[in-house]
Every structure is written in structure tokens, then in C-alpha cells.
Amino acid sequence: MDRNEASKLKALSDIASIDIALEFENILQDILKITCETMNAHSGTMMLVDEKTGELGMAASYRLGDDYIERVYEAAKKAGVPLTSSPSGTVLKTGRYYSVPNVFEEPKDKPWYGLSNELGFSSQIFTPMKRGQKVIGLLNVYMAEAHQFTDEEIDFVNIAASQASSVVHNAEKIMENHKKLYDSEKRYRELFENANDGIYTHDVEGYILTINDAALEILGCTDRDEVIGSNISRWLTQEGLGTAKEIIRKYVMGEPVEQPIILEIVRKSNEHRWVEFRIRIIKEGDRIVAIHGIGRDITEKMKLEQQLKEYHEKLKISYEELKEADRMKTEFVSNITHELLTPMTSIKGFTELLYNSTTGGINDEQKKSLKIILRNSQRLIKLINGLLDAAYLEKNMFELKFASVSMNDILTKAAQDVQPQAREKQITIIQEIPHLTEIHGEEERLTRVITNVLSNAIKFTPDNGKVTIAAEENSDTVKISIADTGIGIPADKLSRIFERFYQVDGSTTRKYGGVGLGLSICKGIIEKHNGLIWAESGGNGNGSTFHIVLPKKNQNI
Ligand code: ADP
């Protein structure tokens, strides 16, 4: 509620205490009385035209009964004459005064002779009350004796009539404004009462002046009288009150106040709640007369926020713990793999020596066993290297030695590397590789990527299948595609296979071996080359295609 609304409310309470209609009638009555008394008249009437029906109604009467007009109508009806032909009807029509020196000689008055006789007047003057050209009523003066009205008297009645019309006009304006004011106050009241937010006003000392239902509810009260007139100190915690006082002080000093203000309130039941306030001051001139506030109970919201904050904190801690655990795990994996690599390299080395019979003759049976040991130690070393790469990639310690490399050489070498594996399953490797310009990259790592993808293609393709290596070159990139006729990859797993330790189906692990690290390392290596790797598949049994795109030039160099 701003100042305007506050003064509107005040005006309304003032207006409510006087009955405008009654006041208006009294003024008209007074005008008529003064006019009649001044003229020493027998009686007088003031009639107003009803805008809707066009009929005359009594607005004031002097020494004549209020039923006079009805009696006039009645007499007219009895005589079968329309009122329009009467002296008053003539004034309404012409808009000019009409005087009758002797009623009993006036043919127009004939239907009313009886009435005049009974009431005791013999002459009369009818004057129009006008708004512009429109006649809105009549001021009529009746004299006991037959009487010729003088010019002076006529002027006097005319002036009185015009004053009466301006009273009517003003009264109508006031009534209209009153109605507008009433309507807007009603609208404001409705808003105030039905608002979801608590609305209230209190004076500078903190005494509550107005409060709506929602605010009562926030305070846990049902009776408005419990709150109106009470001090805000009753409804605030010590701390809340301190803040509220400080805000009022700021307002009084004209200092800026930050909104919204969140205060802890004390309900009737002594329960504490949190309320968010937005307040404004109501001024009269320079003086602050009241503080108007809107409050919303945000206790539940605050509780939720608090919970959320706690969850967030917990989550943050868990995340930190997880990160630390992950770091430790990576550390552990890289340490342990290093430790494994050294003995494995020497196991492999000595086995090779034995196998190659450098240390003395061995029989065929022994050679067969040594071959198995060699193959398995090679597998182990490969696995350890994979783990090491994964750990380095994760720690971002993966260093690449970029140089100009031939993808043709890399593809040929990788195809050769997997040839024994393919042969075992009678899988044909088809190469559709044009001559490719050299690119910037690390030969060893890129060879590992291609070998890994090729080896997977063979691993996941049944015997007698086909693996096709294709390549194409664009202006800035080289694209390698490796397609197989194998078991395929479900659409929803296509991106997940590049995650560490992810395998489409755990059971295939037993059948196919591997630990789910290869593709995640491939992705890491390709990304280090600023390239892309992705898979496509027709789904179950429809084969898969792995695409690798590498930029020819690399910013890393
Ligand atoms: P690994 O082969 O050691 O399990 P990878 O990271 O190389 O690990 O591959 C992850 C998973 O992706 C494999 O276990 C397999 O489920 C799936 N996958 C990879 N390549 C193919 C392929 N050519 N056809 C079908 N599935 C594949």
C-alpha cells in the first residue's frame, strides 16, 4: 500500500461516516426553504427528473406533504390529462419559467383546482433547474394569494433554481467519485484479503495497524484483534527485532535498505518460523507514518535449502574421497605394474634364451612348454603395458614422441602383427588402402591403436569371417575404418565400450579374454593426436566398424 492508497483508505473512512445522499437532500431542502421564506410563500417544492423514466420525483418540499407529487399525478390521471400539458410539463418542454398569477383562472391548472384549493395556494411560479440546456428539475414556489410575480421575484427564484442545479450537479460528481473510490477500495480490499502473501502495516513504533488473513495465518492466529495494536516485538525473535529496528532506523535516516529481509518470527504457539519480507514506507509529506510489508513463510524452503546444502557438502566430501581413492588406485596400479614389468621382462628374456637353445640343447617337449611360457609372458607384458598406459593417460603423464609417420606403414605393420591371430580363425583381412600422405603422430602408439582395433575385430568375429581395413584422405585428415563381420555391438553400448574396463557382456570375457582396457587406451592415444575414434554397428551379429580420424598436421609439434 503506497501513500496514495493510505490516503484513499483514510478518505473512505471519512466518507463512510457521512451519508452523502442525506447531506444532498438537506442542502436542497435548505435552498427551497430559504427561497420560500424570502418570498413569503405559502409552500414550495423541488422536483427532479428521473433520468431513466423521465418522471418527476420530489427532491425537497416546503410546507407540503411528501405525497404532493403523487397527488398531482393522481389528479391528472383522474382528469385524463397528460402531465406534459401542465405548467410543470410546459417548463420541462420550454426550459423557461412559467408563472400562474391565479391558479383558479389558469386553464392548464384545471385538473388540480381541487388540490390547490385543499392545500390553500392560489398562485405559483415554476422555474427550471438546468444543466446546460437540459432541464433536470423544477423549483416551484406557491403563494397563498393570487399574485402577479414581479421581475425581481422571478429573477430570485431563477437564481435559486440555478444554485440548486449546481448543487445537484456537484452532488452527482461527488457520488460518482465516491463510487469510483468505493470500487477501487473494494478491489484493494479483495486483493489485500485474498492475497497468498501476508500483508500488513505498522507504525514507526512497530504497532500493527492492518493485517490480512494470510499474515494472520503466518503468525498462527485466527483473531485479528489479537494482532492489531500489538507490537512487532511480540512476533519477532530478539535478533529479528534488532534487525527490524535497524531497518526502520535506516528508513528514517534515508539510508538504502536491502530487500528481501529474512527474519525469524515467533508464532502465537511460540513456534519459530522464517519469513521473507519486502517492505515499503508510507510517508505523509516528509514524515514516515507507517511501514507496509509483504511477508512469505519460507521455513520449508529454507529447510529444503539447508538439506540440499548438507547433501551438497556430503557429496563434495564423497567426491573428494573418491578422487583421492582413485588417485591412490592409479598410483598403486602404476607402481605395481612397474614392479611387475621388471621381473616379467627378465622371465621373458631368459625364456627366449632357453627357447632359442642358446644355453644348451632342449628336447621338443621342453620347447613346446617354453613356447607356451613365452606366449603367456608376452600376453602378461602386453597387459602390464596396457595398465601402465591407462595409468599414465589418467595422470596426464602420457608423453607422445611426435614425428612424421606413414599411416600406410602403420596399417601394414598392424595387419602383419595380427595375421597369426587371423589365420587361427581363418579370417581374411582385406586391405583397401590407397597411398596416404604422411601425418604427424607417434608411430609406436598409433600402431598399438590399429593393432588393438584389428585384434578386437578378429577376436569378436567368428571363424571364416572377414575384416576389412579401409582408408581415405581428405585435405586435413586421414580416416581409417576397420570393419568386421562379427558379433556386433548393441547401439546403446557403442560409446560405453571406450570406457575403462567396460565390456559389453561380462560372459563374453570368458569366451574372448581381455580386461576391457584396450579401447579406452586407444581413445586416449587418438585424442592425444587431436583425433576421433568411434564405432558403428548394425547390432547383434551384424558386424562392427571402427572409425579413426587423425589430423594430418598436429599443433602439438
Ligand atoms: P577387451 O577387448 O580387452 O575386452 P576393449 O576395450 O578392447 O577391451 O573392448 C571393450 C569391449 O568392446 C569388448 O569387451 C567388447 O565387448 C567390445 N568390442 C570391442 N571391439 C569389438 C568388435 N570389433 N566387435 C564387437 N565387440 C567389440
PDB file of all heavy atoms in Angstrom, residues 178-197:
ATOM      1  N   HIS A 178     -17.264   9.008  -5.376  1.00  0.00           N
ATOM      2  CA  HIS A 178     -17.418   8.126  -4.234  1.00  0.00           C
ATOM      3  C   HIS A 178     -17.515   6.677  -4.686  1.00  0.00           C
ATOM      4  O   HIS A 178     -16.897   5.789  -4.145  1.00  0.00           O
ATOM      5  CB  HIS A 178     -18.659   8.542  -3.443  1.00  0.00           C
ATOM      6  CG  HIS A 178     -18.906   7.632  -2.269  1.00  0.00           C
ATOM      7  ND1 HIS A 178     -20.120   7.080  -2.026  1.00  0.00           N
ATOM      8  CD2 HIS A 178     -18.096   7.189  -1.301  1.00  0.00           C
ATOM      9  CE1 HIS A 178     -20.045   6.316  -0.945  1.00  0.00           C
ATOM     10  NE2 HIS A 178     -18.826   6.377  -0.480  1.00  0.00           N
ATOM     11  N   LYS A 179     -18.267   6.501  -5.765  1.00  0.00           N
ATOM     12  CA  LYS A 179     -18.449   5.148  -6.270  1.00  0.00           C
ATOM     13  C   LYS A 179     -17.111   4.589  -6.781  1.00  0.00           C
ATOM     14  O   LYS A 179     -16.750   3.452  -6.505  1.00  0.00           O
ATOM     15  CB  LYS A 179     -19.496   5.138  -7.400  1.00  0.00           C
ATOM     16  CG  LYS A 179     -19.858   3.726  -7.784  1.00  0.00           C
ATOM     17  CD  LYS A 179     -21.053   3.670  -8.662  1.00  0.00           C
ATOM     18  CE  LYS A 179     -21.250   2.323  -9.324  1.00  0.00           C
ATOM     19  NZ  LYS A 179     -20.255   1.316  -9.174  1.00  0.00           N
ATOM     20  N   LYS A 180     -16.403   5.464  -7.517  1.00  0.00           N
ATOM     21  CA  LYS A 180     -15.092   5.036  -8.045  1.00  0.00           C
ATOM     22  C   LYS A 180     -14.174   4.650  -6.892  1.00  0.00           C
ATOM     23  O   LYS A 180     -13.508   3.618  -6.925  1.00  0.00           O
ATOM     24  CB  LYS A 180     -14.452   6.179  -8.835  1.00  0.00           C
ATOM     25  CG  LYS A 180     -14.877   6.206 -10.279  1.00  0.00           C
ATOM     26  CD  LYS A 180     -14.005   7.187 -11.033  1.00  0.00           C
ATOM     27  CE  LYS A 180     -14.681   7.677 -12.280  1.00  0.00           C
ATOM     28  NZ  LYS A 180     -14.246   9.021 -12.652  1.00  0.00           N
ATOM     29  N   LEU A 181     -14.147   5.530  -5.898  1.00  0.00           N
ATOM     30  CA  LEU A 181     -13.296   5.309  -4.728  1.00  0.00           C
ATOM     31  C   LEU A 181     -13.685   4.014  -4.025  1.00  0.00           C
ATOM     32  O   LEU A 181     -12.858   3.205  -3.634  1.00  0.00           O
ATOM     33  CB  LEU A 181     -13.507   6.499  -3.780  1.00  0.00           C
ATOM     34  CG  LEU A 181     -12.328   6.934  -2.953  1.00  0.00           C
ATOM     35  CD1 LEU A 181     -11.198   7.349  -3.870  1.00  0.00           C
ATOM     36  CD2 LEU A 181     -12.709   8.100  -2.039  1.00  0.00           C
ATOM     37  N   TYR A 182     -14.993   3.867  -3.923  1.00  0.00           N
ATOM     38  CA  TYR A 182     -15.520   2.684  -3.246  1.00  0.00           C
ATOM     39  C   TYR A 182     -15.112   1.419  -4.007  1.00  0.00           C
ATOM     40  O   TYR A 182     -14.633   0.459  -3.438  1.00  0.00           O
ATOM     41  CB  TYR A 182     -17.040   2.792  -3.143  1.00  0.00           C
ATOM     42  CG  TYR A 182     -17.654   1.573  -2.524  1.00  0.00           C
ATOM     43  CD1 TYR A 182     -17.607   1.383  -1.145  1.00  0.00           C
ATOM     44  CD2 TYR A 182     -18.250   0.595  -3.316  1.00  0.00           C
ATOM     45  CE1 TYR A 182     -18.145   0.239  -0.568  1.00  0.00           C
ATOM     46  CE2 TYR A 182     -18.782  -0.543  -2.753  1.00  0.00           C
ATOM     47  CZ  TYR A 182     -18.734  -0.721  -1.373  1.00  0.00           C
ATOM     48  OH  TYR A 182     -19.239  -1.845  -0.825  1.00  0.00           O
ATOM     49  N   ASP A 183     -15.279   1.508  -5.356  1.00  0.00           N
ATOM     50  CA  ASP A 183     -14.928   0.340  -6.172  1.00  0.00           C
ATOM     51  C   ASP A 183     -13.456   0.004  -6.051  1.00  0.00           C
ATOM     52  O   ASP A 183     -13.076  -1.151  -5.918  1.00  0.00           O
ATOM     53  CB  ASP A 183     -15.268   0.594  -7.651  1.00  0.00           C
ATOM     54  CG  ASP A 183     -16.757   0.558  -7.868  1.00  0.00           C
ATOM     55  OD1 ASP A 183     -17.466   0.101  -6.956  1.00  0.00           O
ATOM     56  OD2 ASP A 183     -17.207   1.000  -8.945  1.00  0.00           O
ATOM     57  N   SER A 184     -12.613   1.062  -6.110  1.00  0.00           N
ATOM     58  CA  SER A 184     -11.178   0.768  -6.066  1.00  0.00           C
ATOM     59  C   SER A 184     -10.787   0.278  -4.680  1.00  0.00           C
ATOM     60  O   SER A 184      -9.941  -0.602  -4.539  1.00  0.00           O
ATOM     61  CB  SER A 184     -10.345   1.977  -6.491  1.00  0.00           C
ATOM     62  OG  SER A 184     -10.092   2.804  -5.401  1.00  0.00           O
ATOM     63  N   GLU A 185     -11.423   0.824  -3.665  1.00  0.00           N
ATOM     64  CA  GLU A 185     -11.124   0.357  -2.307  1.00  0.00           C
ATOM     65  C   GLU A 185     -11.554  -1.085  -2.158  1.00  0.00           C
ATOM     66  O   GLU A 185     -10.870  -1.905  -1.560  1.00  0.00           O
ATOM     67  CB  GLU A 185     -11.839   1.245  -1.283  1.00  0.00           C
ATOM     68  CG  GLU A 185     -11.243   1.194   0.104  1.00  0.00           C
ATOM     69  CD  GLU A 185     -11.782   0.078   0.971  1.00  0.00           C
ATOM     70  OE1 GLU A 185     -12.834  -0.498   0.644  1.00  0.00           O
ATOM     71  OE2 GLU A 185     -11.158  -0.236   1.984  1.00  0.00           O
ATOM     72  N   LYS A 186     -12.695  -1.392  -2.787  1.00  0.00           N
ATOM     73  CA  LYS A 186     -13.215  -2.756  -2.704  1.00  0.00           C
ATOM     74  C   LYS A 186     -12.232  -3.719  -3.377  1.00  0.00           C
ATOM     75  O   LYS A 186     -11.913  -4.779  -2.847  1.00  0.00           O
ATOM     76  CB  LYS A 186     -14.573  -2.827  -3.421  1.00  0.00           C
ATOM     77  CG  LYS A 186     -15.440  -3.951  -2.895  1.00  0.00           C
ATOM     78  CD  LYS A 186     -16.830  -3.835  -3.423  1.00  0.00           C
ATOM     79  CE  LYS A 186     -17.232  -5.146  -4.024  1.00  0.00           C
ATOM     80  NZ  LYS A 186     -18.005  -5.087  -5.210  1.00  0.00           N
ATOM     81  N   ARG A 187     -11.739  -3.258  -4.532  1.00  0.00           N
ATOM     82  CA  ARG A 187     -10.764  -4.091  -5.252  1.00  0.00           C
ATOM     83  C   ARG A 187      -9.527  -4.298  -4.393  1.00  0.00           C
ATOM     84  O   ARG A 187      -9.011  -5.402  -4.275  1.00  0.00           O
ATOM     85  CB  ARG A 187     -10.358  -3.411  -6.568  1.00  0.00           C
ATOM     86  CG  ARG A 187     -11.165  -3.893  -7.747  1.00  0.00           C
ATOM     87  CD  ARG A 187     -10.432  -3.667  -9.042  1.00  0.00           C
ATOM     88  NE  ARG A 187      -9.992  -2.299  -9.219  1.00  0.00           N
ATOM     89  CZ  ARG A 187     -10.754  -1.314  -9.692  1.00  0.00           C
ATOM     90  NH1 ARG A 187     -11.999  -1.565 -10.031  1.00  0.00           N
ATOM     91  NH2 ARG A 187     -10.280  -0.108  -9.837  1.00  0.00           N
ATOM     92  N   TYR A 188      -9.040  -3.187  -3.802  1.00  0.00           N
ATOM     93  CA  TYR A 188      -7.842  -3.262  -2.964  1.00  0.00           C
ATOM     94  C   TYR A 188      -8.088  -4.208  -1.790  1.00  0.00           C
ATOM     95  O   TYR A 188      -7.258  -5.049  -1.471  1.00  0.00           O
ATOM     96  CB  TYR A 188      -7.459  -1.870  -2.466  1.00  0.00           C
ATOM     97  CG  TYR A 188      -6.382  -1.924  -1.409  1.00  0.00           C
ATOM     98  CD1 TYR A 188      -5.060  -2.178  -1.761  1.00  0.00           C
ATOM     99  CD2 TYR A 188      -6.700  -1.788  -0.061  1.00  0.00           C
ATOM    100  CE1 TYR A 188      -4.077  -2.278  -0.803  1.00  0.00           C
ATOM    101  CE2 TYR A 188      -5.728  -1.882   0.905  1.00  0.00           C
ATOM    102  CZ  TYR A 188      -4.413  -2.137   0.535  1.00  0.00           C
ATOM    103  OH  TYR A 188      -3.456  -2.241   1.481  1.00  0.00           O
ATOM    104  N   ARG A 189      -9.263  -4.042  -1.161  1.00  0.00           N
ATOM    105  CA  ARG A 189      -9.627  -4.893  -0.004  1.00  0.00           C
ATOM    106  C   ARG A 189      -9.577  -6.363  -0.400  1.00  0.00           C
ATOM    107  O   ARG A 189      -9.037  -7.197   0.296  1.00  0.00           O
ATOM    108  CB  ARG A 189     -11.058  -4.590   0.454  1.00  0.00           C
ATOM    109  CG  ARG A 189     -11.192  -3.432   1.366  1.00  0.00           C
ATOM    110  CD  ARG A 189     -10.997  -3.793   2.829  1.00  0.00           C
ATOM    111  NE  ARG A 189     -10.330  -2.680   3.453  1.00  0.00           N
ATOM    112  CZ  ARG A 189      -9.412  -2.765   4.393  1.00  0.00           C
ATOM    113  NH1 ARG A 189      -9.033  -3.935   4.838  1.00  0.00           N
ATOM    114  NH2 ARG A 189      -8.840  -1.712   4.893  1.00  0.00           N
ATOM    115  N   GLU A 190     -10.188  -6.636  -1.577  1.00  0.00           N
ATOM    116  CA  GLU A 190     -10.246  -8.023  -2.033  1.00  0.00           C
ATOM    117  C   GLU A 190      -8.839  -8.580  -2.224  1.00  0.00           C
ATOM    118  O   GLU A 190      -8.518  -9.681  -1.800  1.00  0.00           O
ATOM    119  CB  GLU A 190     -11.041  -8.127  -3.332  1.00  0.00           C
ATOM    120  CG  GLU A 190     -12.531  -8.198  -3.060  1.00  0.00           C
ATOM    121  CD  GLU A 190     -13.368  -7.923  -4.289  1.00  0.00           C
ATOM    122  OE1 GLU A 190     -12.799  -7.836  -5.402  1.00  0.00           O
ATOM    123  OE2 GLU A 190     -14.576  -7.776  -4.121  1.00  0.00           O
ATOM    124  N   LEU A 191      -7.996  -7.740  -2.873  1.00  0.00           N
ATOM    125  CA  LEU A 191      -6.598  -8.156  -3.087  1.00  0.00           C
ATOM    126  C   LEU A 191      -5.918  -8.408  -1.755  1.00  0.00           C
ATOM    127  O   LEU A 191      -5.236  -9.400  -1.550  1.00  0.00           O
ATOM    128  CB  LEU A 191      -5.840  -7.031  -3.806  1.00  0.00           C
ATOM    129  CG  LEU A 191      -5.910  -7.058  -5.313  1.00  0.00           C
ATOM    130  CD1 LEU A 191      -5.191  -5.848  -5.887  1.00  0.00           C
ATOM    131  CD2 LEU A 191      -5.227  -8.322  -5.831  1.00  0.00           C
ATOM    132  N   PHE A 192      -6.120  -7.457  -0.861  1.00  0.00           N
ATOM    133  CA  PHE A 192      -5.498  -7.495   0.460  1.00  0.00           C
ATOM    134  C   PHE A 192      -5.931  -8.748   1.222  1.00  0.00           C
ATOM    135  O   PHE A 192      -5.125  -9.483   1.775  1.00  0.00           O
ATOM    136  CB  PHE A 192      -5.919  -6.217   1.194  1.00  0.00           C
ATOM    137  CG  PHE A 192      -5.424  -6.090   2.615  1.00  0.00           C
ATOM    138  CD1 PHE A 192      -4.100  -5.762   2.856  1.00  0.00           C
ATOM    139  CD2 PHE A 192      -6.281  -6.249   3.687  1.00  0.00           C
ATOM    140  CE1 PHE A 192      -3.644  -5.620   4.159  1.00  0.00           C
ATOM    141  CE2 PHE A 192      -5.834  -6.106   4.987  1.00  0.00           C
ATOM    142  CZ  PHE A 192      -4.509  -5.794   5.220  1.00  0.00           C
ATOM    143  N   GLU A 193      -7.235  -9.001   1.166  1.00  0.00           N
ATOM    144  CA  GLU A 193      -7.763 -10.122   1.937  1.00  0.00           C
ATOM    145  C   GLU A 193      -7.406 -11.474   1.319  1.00  0.00           C
ATOM    146  O   GLU A 193      -7.162 -12.440   2.012  1.00  0.00           O
ATOM    147  CB  GLU A 193      -9.294 -10.031   2.066  1.00  0.00           C
ATOM    148  CG  GLU A 193      -9.792  -8.897   2.941  1.00  0.00           C
ATOM    149  CD  GLU A 193      -9.181  -8.879   4.340  1.00  0.00           C
ATOM    150  OE1 GLU A 193      -8.659  -9.904   4.798  1.00  0.00           O
ATOM    151  OE2 GLU A 193      -9.205  -7.799   4.970  1.00  0.00           O
ATOM    152  N   ASN A 194      -7.416 -11.500  -0.030  1.00  0.00           N
ATOM    153  CA  ASN A 194      -7.245 -12.806  -0.674  1.00  0.00           C
ATOM    154  C   ASN A 194      -5.811 -13.114  -1.063  1.00  0.00           C
ATOM    155  O   ASN A 194      -5.541 -14.166  -1.623  1.00  0.00           O
ATOM    156  CB  ASN A 194      -8.138 -12.896  -1.911  1.00  0.00           C
ATOM    157  CG  ASN A 194      -9.584 -12.716  -1.522  1.00  0.00           C
ATOM    158  OD1 ASN A 194      -9.987 -13.106  -0.432  1.00  0.00           O
ATOM    159  ND2 ASN A 194     -10.358 -12.096  -2.382  1.00  0.00           N
ATOM    160  N   ALA A 195      -4.908 -12.178  -0.789  1.00  0.00           N
ATOM    161  CA  ALA A 195      -3.507 -12.401  -1.179  1.00  0.00           C
ATOM    162  C   ALA A 195      -2.958 -13.652  -0.497  1.00  0.00           C
ATOM    163  O   ALA A 195      -3.330 -13.964   0.635  1.00  0.00           O
ATOM    164  CB  ALA A 195      -2.673 -11.192  -0.793  1.00  0.00           C
ATOM    165  N   ASN A 196      -2.087 -14.342  -1.211  1.00  0.00           N
ATOM    166  CA  ASN A 196      -1.457 -15.521  -0.616  1.00  0.00           C
ATOM    167  C   ASN A 196      -0.365 -15.125   0.362  1.00  0.00           C
ATOM    168  O   ASN A 196      -0.035 -15.854   1.275  1.00  0.00           O
ATOM    169  CB  ASN A 196      -0.831 -16.388  -1.712  1.00  0.00           C
ATOM    170  CG  ASN A 196      -1.889 -17.100  -2.496  1.00  0.00           C
ATOM    171  OD1 ASN A 196      -2.932 -17.449  -1.930  1.00  0.00           O
ATOM    172  ND2 ASN A 196      -1.665 -17.290  -3.769  1.00  0.00           N
ATOM    173  N   ASP A 197       0.214 -13.963   0.090  1.00  0.00           N
ATOM    174  CA  ASP A 197       1.266 -13.478   0.971  1.00  0.00           C
ATOM    175  C   ASP A 197       0.640 -12.675   2.099  1.00  0.00           C
ATOM    176  O   ASP A 197      -0.412 -12.065   1.933  1.00  0.00           O
ATOM    177  CB  ASP A 197       2.221 -12.568   0.199  1.00  0.00           C
ATOM    178  CG  ASP A 197       3.054 -13.364  -0.791  1.00  0.00           C
ATOM    179  OD1 ASP A 197       3.260 -14.558  -0.527  1.00  0.00           O
ATOM    180  OD2 ASP A 197       3.475 -12.788  -1.786  1.00  0.00           O
TER     181      ASP A 197
END
